[in-house]
Amino acid sequence: MKKIKEIAIYGKGGIGKSTTTSNISAALSDAGYTVMQVGCDPKSDSTNTLTGGKSIPTVLESLRKRRGNLKVEDVIIEGFNEIYCVEAGGPEPGVGCAGRGIITAIEFLKQENIYEKYSPDVVLYDVLGDVVCGGFAMPIREGVANQVYTVSSADFMAIYAANNLFKGIKKYSNGGGALFSGLIANSVTFPAQKDILEDFILQTKSTIAGFIPRSLTVTQAELWGKTTIEANPDSNQAEVYRKLAKSIYNNKEEYIPSPLESDELKNWAESWSDKLLELRKQEEGDFKI
Amino acid sequence: MTSKNEKVNQENILSNDQIQINSYENDSVEAPRYSCALSGVYGTTLGIRGGVPILHSGAGCGIGQLFGTLYAGGQSAGGNEGGTSTPCSCLVEEHVIFGGEEKLRNLIQSTIEIFNGSLFVVISGCVPSLIGDDVDSIVDEFRDKASIIHVNAPGFEGNSFEGYEQFWDAIVKQLLTPKEKQPKLVNIFGIVPYNHVFWKGELLNIKNILKKIGVDANIIFTEKDGLENIKKIPSAEYNIVLSQWQGHEIAERLKNKFQIPYIKFPSVPVGAKQTSEFLRKVGEKLNISSDKIESLIEEEEDRTYRFMEYPADAVILVRPHSYFAVVADSGTAIGITKFLTNELGYLPDIIQITDNPPDKYRESIVKEIIENIETVVRPDIIFEADTYNIRENLKDRPFLFLLSSSLEAPTATEDFGALHISVSFPVYNRSILVHNYSGYDGGLQLFEDVISTFVGPL
């Protein structure tokens, strides 16, 4: 059996994880690889831009309806360029346990030997924000993903979530869990944003896998229910994603990052406070148009 | 295996360092002498006639307590509402992920329709507590259809003795309303159904003995119309708590909410001395004429001590001044130790307390034993619930009698050279209906049980 590259992509909610993941999937698929994308978020919209903006049946909802008669074909839906799209799904907000849902969904996919049936070259897990409980750490435990990326902007809360992810990776690394392969710097427009993220990776002994500038092309494509790769294949932004996808596919770096303790993180953020205020002003100016 | 036991000697009973060492759950516990909070609420509910437990939990929580609490409480099944008949939402993975509220709603609806119960007790176990099911609002939907309460009792929140307190907490908050006071009415607390293996007989004895001095004891459990008994709790003139810690929280709550003062007694009174002391204390608080009390005491003690003379030869000729060991919950251990020491002249060797009393009560438990035994012998007092550690603590000691759970019964002679009597949770090797050691006759029954271990065989 061929070696499958299994990648988990984490990051704070709203930071652009699903957008980035879907564009990486689309770019890899365009480059000729067989790609599968698994959305691990109860709101189950990870793969929307690969399926023309439509929602697909989720694993958990289907498991519930089919009561043991669920077939993988029912929940693995072909999207743009024959990318296999899967959504784990989960409960309504405020009910039940979404973390357990992720565990159940991934266990189902593993039990059904989907890798043998579909033979993907790359599997991307797009996982909900913070590693708040054991369920959301499922993709980084032994036997699921082997490389982890985090999408982060220079916003403090996004960095905070990335730092939490590092803690999760450190914990599971002892038991053969996934290792870190790099931070994907999203919405990086100003030099100061780059500086902040570069300093953060220095502090945490990690690396940056690539920079993605903020772009209206992405927003436009999303409104059409498409990835940038599909909607604007010739745009600069599509080229950015293609480059990122290629470097991620070829990336051999795998290591345990050094998360900052909460006090350290707080002190570090304080040291950047003046810079951040300056940035905020620039951003506000940017949007005044 | 770590052994962080707490030993207390006479010289240092007041030293906190000596009294407070082990927190039972820090290490793994082998065959503990209690179950979880859910079990305490479940057993307490089944102790009430007309009480119907509705378990919102996995199926194992119910069936596990059938074996682990009901049979363990002196081979008692749970009646029509207990054991395999218990309504249970039997939560599975689907409910963990998507919530189990709808299933519970249907379960409560059908339980109210099917069961001839008067008080429905929804008990939330670990799963709904972890995932955050909003059980309170579901129970609220049924409050105008039946007497129903919700007790949130995830197993991880405490042991079965603490579950007893959680049950009462819910009753006070959700069911009780102020009532006109009824003179000479008292409520009895501190005897935990099933976990306190002699609960049924003890409650009956306490009721009967108090009746003789004109006090009406609301024992709540075992009697017909359990819900009515619960509803009249606020009418009581006093609450009587028969434990150094169990029932104290509920007594405090009732004091604050309904201005009912309470009388504490360290355990269920065992034998003549403790029972006479108990009657004097109750009589004094409830303003009962001391003539009446003393005349009853004289009559009862006269009879009791004549009865104790019958087996006295067996003690004096065969096993005089024997050392004994007790392994029991604090309530049982205190009463038995004082009786055997003060009334039979036996020698306390080691007392192991198994009900994991909260830290703040431990010193008072130790003091109660040490300061109230009439002997120069000072027992080791150890707080321990781990069966392996309990056995280790019993090795190479002089005791001849071992009063403990049935777990020690089969090998007591072989392992410890001791004659065994099952007196504390879990008790699987004897059926306990009305048998108990409370009151004047109870002391005689304990005497009978001790003598019966060595007389005969023909």
Side-chain angles (χ1 to χ4, degrees), chain B residues 234-421:
Chain B
S235 306
E237 191 180 341
Y238 265 96
N239 287 319
I240 296 179
V241 183
L242 297 171
S243 164
Q244 280 299 74
W245 73 278
Q246 289 145 24
H248 285 213
E249 264 182 46
I250 163 71
E252 272 297 319
R253 273 180 218 290
L254 292 172
K255 187 177 158 192
N256 295 333
K257 190 161 180 182
F258 300 108
Q259 293 74 50
I260 308 174
Y262 62 95
I263 306 168
K264 282 189 286 184
F265 205 75
S267 71
V268 170
V270 177
K273 284 187 179 178
Q274 292 171 51
T275 308
S276 299
E277 189 191 333
F278 172 69
L279 288 173
R280 287 191 180 105
K281 194 166 178 176
V282 174
E284 187 191 312
K285 293 278 184 189
L286 279 106
N287 282 326
I288 294 159
S289 89
S290 65
D291 287 352
K292 190 173 184 178
I293 303 278
E294 292 308 322
S295 127
L296 174 67
I297 288 175
E298 195 186 333
E299 186 192 328
E300 290 286 348
E301 287 193 350
D302 177 68
R303 181 179 63 88
T304 305
Y305 286 121
R306 174 63 191 101
F307 271 55
M308 283 180 76
E309 283 169 1
Y310 293 119
D313 280 11
V315 174
I316 294 162
L317 298 175
V318 188
R319 296 278 191 278
H321 306 302
S322 303
Y323 278 100
F324 67 92
V326 178
V327 184
D329 57 276
S330 51
T332 304
I334 289 171
I336 285 179
T337 302
K338 289 200 297 192
F339 176 82
L340 293 179
T341 311
N342 301 345
E343 306 236 27
L344 288 199
Y346 275 10
L347 310 170
D349 179 13
I350 174 171
I351 318 296
Q352 298 193 70
I353 308 287
T354 57
D355 53 349
N356 196 4
D359 297 348
K360 63 177 173 179
Y361 295 112
R362 291 189 180 189
E363 186 173 338
S364 77
I365 291 166
V366 173
K367 277 177 78 172
E368 178 56 38
I369 297 172
I370 296 289
E371 291 177 358
N372 293 289
I373 44 176
E374 299 152 22
T375 173
V376 292
V377 174
R378 293 302 167 199
D380 282 337
I381 298 177
I382 301 173
F383 289 85
E384 186 58 80
D386 179 291
T387 292
Y388 174 85
N389 289 344
I390 285 170
R391 284 166 184 266
E392 288 297 300
N393 294 335
L394 292 174
K395 282 181 180 165
D396 304 320
R397 303 196 69 113
F399 64 84
L400 272 178
F401 295 97
L402 173 59
L403 298 99
S404 74
S405 80
S406 68
L407 298 180
E408 287 73 38
T411 60
T413 317
E414 186 187 326
D415 289 351
F416 315 115
L419 298 164
H420 184 269
I421 304 161

Side-chain angles (χ1 to χ4, degrees), chain A residues 157-219:
Chain A
M157 289 317 292
I159 290 174
Y160 185 87
N163 193 61
N164 272 354
L165 172 67
F166 290 177
K167 288 181 182 172
I169 291 171
K170 196 174 170 185
K171 174 182 159 45
Y172 286 107
S173 61
N174 295 330
L179 297 175
F180 194 62
S181 291
L183 183 145
I184 299 167
N186 197 26
S187 304
V188 175
T189 310
F190 301 104
Q193 291 170 322
K194 202 175 168 187
D195 294 346
I196 290 170
L197 285 167
E198 279 179 340
D199 191 34
F200 175 68
I201 62 137
L202 191 73
Q203 300 296 328
T204 52
K205 300 188 176 63
S206 50
T207 50
I208 288 181
F211 289 96
I212 306 170
R214 190 193 284 266
S215 160
L216 278 177
T217 320
V218 178
T219 319

Side-chain angles (χ1 to χ4, degrees), chain A residues 60-61 64 67 90-91 95-97 100-101 104, chain B residues 93-101 131-133:
Chain A
L60 290 173
E61 201 53 52
R64 193 184 196 184
R67 297 254 173 216
V95 185
C97 180
R100 178 65 214 176
T104 309
Chain B
E93 188 156 46
E94 176 186 330
H95 310 108
V96 177
I97 299 167
F98 294 103
E101 295 178 6
I131 67 172
D133 268 358

Side-chain angles (χ1 to χ4, degrees), chain A residues 18-216:
Chain A
S18 298
T19 308
T20 309
T21 309
S22 299
N23 274 295
I24 293 170
S25 290
L28 287 171
S29 172
D30 243 4
Y33 297 107
T34 307
V35 182
M36 181 179 281
Q37 180 167 326
V38 184
C40 300
D41 186 328
K43 68 181 195 299
S44 40
D45 57 357
S46 166
T47 57
N48 275 16
T49 53
L50 295 171
T51 54
K54 288 196 197 97
S55 295
I56 61 171
T58 71
V59 176
L60 290 173
E61 201 53 52
S62 310
L63 270 175
R64 193 184 196 184
K65 283 184 190 150
R66 300 288 171 95
R67 297 254 173 216
N69 291 321
L70 183 64
K71 295 192 175 64
V72 282
E73 299 81 41
D74 301 330
V75 290
I76 299 185
I77 310 296
E78 280 187 29
F80 166 72
N81 212 23
E82 295 173 357
I83 294 171
Y84 298 122
C85 300
V86 187
E87 291 288 353
E92 294 292 307
V95 185
C97 180
R100 178 65 214 176
I102 302 294
I103 295 172
T104 309
I106 290 180
E107 279 176 355
F108 170 76
L109 297 174
K110 290 270 158 192
Q111 274 167 14
E112 295 296 316
N113 295 322
I114 52 163
Y115 294 172
E116 280 173 28
K117 286 182 192 161
Y118 291 84
S119 191
D121 299 302
V122 188
V123 181
L124 293 126
Y125 294 92
D126 175 13
V127 195
L128 174 129
D130 242 331
V131 196
V132 284
C133 73
F136 296 101
M138 183 66 182
I140 54 174
R141 293 192 207 172
E142 189 186 12
V144 188
N146 37 40
Q147 285 190 333
V148 186
Y149 289 86
T150 180
V151 178
S152 179
S153 69
D155 180 67
F156 178 67
M157 289 317 292
I159 290 174
Y160 185 87
N163 193 61
N164 272 354
L165 172 67
F166 290 177
K167 288 181 182 172
I169 291 171
K170 196 174 170 185
K171 174 182 159 45
Y172 286 107
S173 61
N174 295 330
L179 297 175
F180 194 62
S181 291
L183 183 145
I184 299 167
N186 197 26
S187 304
V188 175
T189 310
F190 301 104
Q193 291 170 322
K194 202 175 168 187
D195 294 346
I196 290 170
L197 285 167
E198 279 179 340
D199 191 34
F200 175 68
I201 62 137
L202 191 73
Q203 300 296 328
T204 52
K205 300 188 176 63
S206 50
T207 50
I208 288 181
F211 289 96
I212 306 170
R214 190 193 284 266
S215 160
L216 278 177

